[in-house]
Amino acid sequence: FSLAASVFYKRRVFFNFKLLFSSTVFGSLFLNPLKLSGYTLLWSFFPPITLALLLNRISRAGLRRKAQLIVYLPYFISTIVLAGMIRLFFSSVGPINSILGTTIDFMSEPSWFRTLYIGSGIWQGAGWASIIYTATLSGVSQELIDAAKIDGATILQQIRHVELPALKPVIVIQFILSAGNIMSIG
C-alpha cells in the first residue's frame, strides 16, 4: 500500500510541476515576484539612510524624539490596519484624490498596484530601518563635524565627506542583508 501511494504521490507532484511550467501565465507568475522584490530593494533601501541623515541634523533633543516617534510609528501598526489606511487614503473619495482633484480608485487600478505596494512598504519600514543608521551617526566624532564646519564645508559636504564614510560599512552590510531577503515578498 505505501509503495503504491508513494508512486501515485510522485506522479501527482510531477503532473503539477508539468502543469505549472506549461501554463501560459507561468512567465508572469515567475517574473512578478522578482520585479516586486527588485523594485522594493531598489526603492526602499535609500529612504532610511536619508531619514537618518535628516534626523541627525535636528539639534533639539525634544524635537528629535518627537520626529523619531512619528517616523517609527508606522512600523508598529498592524499590516491589516496599514492596508486599511492605504485603502482609505487612495479610494476614489480619499484625501489623495481630494488633493489631486480626481476620482481615481487607485486600489482597483492594476497599473498602480506595484507603486502602492512598494510605497506603503517604504512608509511602514523606513523609520524602523533608519535606527541602525541613526545609531551609527551618533558615533561620528563631533570633532570631525566641527573641523568640517571650520573648513567651510556646507551641510551636503559634511554629509558626503564625514557622515557617509562613517555609514559606508553599515550600508554595505544592510544591503547584503536586504538582498538576502529578495524573495520574501510578504
Side-chain angles (χ1 to χ4, degrees):
F1 175 74
S2 64
L3 180 63
S6 175
V7 170
F8 172 76
Y9 177 74
K10 287 179 182 176
R11 286 183 182 167
R12 184 67 185 164
V13 168
F14 287 123
F15 172 77
N16 288 337
F17 276 111
K18 184 178 177 184
L19 185 66
L20 172 69
F21 291 129
S22 65
S23 173
T24 58
V25 293
F26 174 73
S28 64
L29 291 175
F30 182 73
L31 288 178
N32 281 341
L34 287 176
K35 285 180 185 177
L36 274 177
S37 295
Y39 288 141
T40 300
L41 178 64
L42 176 70
W43 290 106
S44 67
F45 188 73
F46 296 105
I49 298 167
T50 306
L51 187 59
L53 289 168
L54 290 173
L55 288 172
N56 193 46
R57 290 283 157 195
I58 300 174
S59 58
R60 290 182 31 213
L63 183 60
R64 181 185 297 176
R65 275 192 299 252
K66 289 175 185 172
Q68 286 173 330
L69 174 68
I70 290 170
V71 298
Y72 297 165
L73 195 60
Y75 181 78
F76 296 104
I77 296 174
S78 165
T79 304
I80 301 299
V81 173
L82 186 86
M85 291 170 66
I86 297 294
R87 176 76 184 135
L88 286 172
F89 292 161
F90 290 96
S91 70
S92 58
V93 292
I96 302 298
N97 275 309
S98 296
I99 291 170
L100 297 175
T102 61
T103 57
I104 302 169
D105 189 7
F106 292 100
M107 294 299 284
S108 62
E109 293 288 330
S111 60
W112 281 97
F113 172 77
R114 193 176 296 139
T115 304
L116 290 175
Y117 178 83
I118 294 169
S120 65
I122 291 170
W123 177 49
Q124 186 176 23
W128 185 255
S130 71
I131 289 176
I132 293 176
Y133 300 115
T134 304
T136 303
L137 288 172
S138 69
V140 173
S141 173
Q142 188 62 36
E143 293 172 353
L144 287 174
I145 296 171
D146 292 340
K149 287 178 184 176
I150 290 171
D151 288 343
T154 64
I155 290 174
L156 292 177
Q157 289 172 334
Q158 291 171 32
I159 290 171
R160 181 175 176 217
H161 297 291
V162 177
E163 295 172 1
L164 283 179
L167 285 176
K168 187 177 179 180
V170 177
I171 290 172
V172 170
I173 291 170
Q174 288 296 101
F175 183 78
I176 291 169
L177 291 173
S178 297
N181 289 329
I182 199 160
M183 291 308 290
S184 300
I185 298 240

